[in-house]
Amino acid sequence: MAETVKLPIIDLSSPDRISTAKSIRQACVDYGFFYLVNHGVEGQLLSKVLEESKKFFSLPLNEKMKLSRKHHRGYSPLYAENLDPLSRSEGDSKESFYVGPVEGDMAQTNLNQWPSQEIFPSWRLTMESYHKKLMSAGKKLIYLIAMALNLDEDYFEKVGALDTPSGFLRLLHYPGELGCFNEQIYGASEHSDYGMITLLVSDGVPGLQVCREKFNQPRLWEDVPHINGAFIVNIGDMMERWTNCLFRSTLHRVMPVGQERYSLAFFLDPNPDCVVECLESCCSPSCPARFPPIRSGAYLEERFKLTYGE
C-alpha cells in the first residue's frame, strides 16, 4: 500500500498575493504539485464537461476513430501512447481526446476536431467554455508563479510566453477492467509533464500517485487524494528547465484500481516561439544555467515524438 501525500492548498482568490506567491514557491520546491481552490471554474461546468466526455468515450471504437489524432487534436485509442519510453508494456491503458487552442490564431483553432453536432449538440460549446475558463485561471496562476520566482508578476507576459499561449485540454478515460496480463499495466505509466503547468481534475476515482524523488531507487510512490472542486496543479519539465531545477517537475503515474476513471488535464504552455532560458533569479556564479536556451515549440515537438513513436 502506498502512503498518502499531503499536498499544499493554494487559494487563487486570496487578496494576499505576496503570501500566496510564497506558498506557491514552497509547494513547487518541495513537491512540484499542489491543490488549487477558488479558481473560478464552477462545479456545474466541471460536471458538464465530465458528462460530455463520458458520452464521447462510450461511442463504438470505429466512431471515435473517425476523429483520430492529427496535429495533437482528436482521439487516441487504448495503448496508443507510452509515457515511459523505458517501459516494455504495449502502452498505457487509457484513451484520450485532445482539444487545442480555441481562441486567437485561426490557423490553430481550425485544427480542432469536433464530434457531430447532431449527436452531441452541446459538446463543442461545453469544451470551448471550459477551455477558456482554464486558460483564464492558468494565466492568473502564472502571474503568481512569476512573483514566487522573485520576478515582476507580468514577467512571462513580457518575454512573450503568454501572448497567444498554447493551451491543450485533454479528456481522459481509464477503463475499469483490463483483463489478465502477464505484465504490469498502467493507466498512465510514470512520467513528468512536458510543458509549463498542468491543471488536472478527476471524477474522484483514485489512482494518481506521485514520486517526489525521481533520482532515488527504489522509487517511493504516494497516493494523491481527491478534493472535491479542487484542481491538482503540477509543474512541467519546461518550467523546471526555466527555473534551473529550483521548481521540480515531479514523476507521477495513474494506477488501475478496478474502476472506470475519467479526468480532465489542461496543459498551459508558452507561445511556441517563446525562448525558454534560465531565469536570472534562478542562476548565479555558484549555480550556473544547466540547460541551453530552446524554443518552446521545438522542445514540445521533440517530446511528443518520443511519446507517440512518430
Side-chain angles (χ1 to χ4, degrees), residues 2 8-9 14 41 53 119 139-140 144 152 161 191 203 211 213 220 242 260 283:
I9 298 174
S14 169
V41 183
S53 173
I119 306 171
K139 281 184 175 179
K140 286 179 189 168
L144 287 163
D152 293 339
H191 66 286
D203 60 357
C211 171
E213 301 298 338
L220 173 67
W242 234 327
E260 270 190 301
C283 60

Side-chain angles (χ1 to χ4, degrees), residues 82-89 190 219:
N82 191 347
L83 289 169
D84 178 5
L86 300 178
S87 161
R88 282 181 288 182
S89 93
E190 62 181 63
R219 290 198 167 129

Side-chain angles (χ1 to χ4, degrees), residues 176-250:
E177 295 303 320
L178 299 173
C180 184
F181 292 89
N182 293 327
E183 57 182 283
Q184 174 70 65
I185 295 288
Y186 296 97
S189 46
E190 62 181 63
H191 66 286
S192 51
D193 290 348
Y194 310 150
M196 204 172 181
I197 58 169
T198 305
L199 295 92
L200 176 81
V201 70
S202 78
D203 60 357
V205 173
L208 179 64
Q209 296 183 329
V210 296
C211 171
R212 283 188 264 167
E213 301 298 338
K214 57 187 170 189
F215 301 113
N216 285 5
Q217 292 291 348
R219 290 198 167 129
L220 173 67
W221 291 95
E222 298 171 289
D223 289 322
V224 179
H226 174 77
I227 296 180
N228 274 339
F231 283 106
I232 296 169
V233 177
N234 64 281
I235 294 298
D237 296 340
M238 192 182 294
M239 185 63 85
E240 183 178 75
R241 186 181 179 116
W242 234 327
T243 64
N244 214 23
C245 298
L246 173 69
F247 285 6
R248 62 171 74 193
S249 177
T250 302

Side-chain angles (χ1 to χ4, degrees), residues 233-286:
V233 177
N234 64 281
I235 294 298
D237 296 340
M238 192 182 294
M239 185 63 85
E240 183 178 75
R241 186 181 179 116
W242 234 327
T243 64
N244 214 23
C245 298
L246 173 69
F247 285 6
R248 62 171 74 193
S249 177
T250 302
L251 279 180
H252 51 286
R253 67 185 185 185
V254 176
M255 299 298 288
V257 292
Q259 289 174 269
E260 270 190 301
R261 182 177 190 270
Y262 293 88
S263 63
L264 313 167
F266 185 79
F267 303 98
L268 178 53
D269 297 324
N271 180 321
D273 290 324
C274 177
V275 175
V276 177
E277 56 187 324
C278 183
L279 300 167
E280 282 185 26
S281 63
C282 298
C283 60
S284 65
S286 61

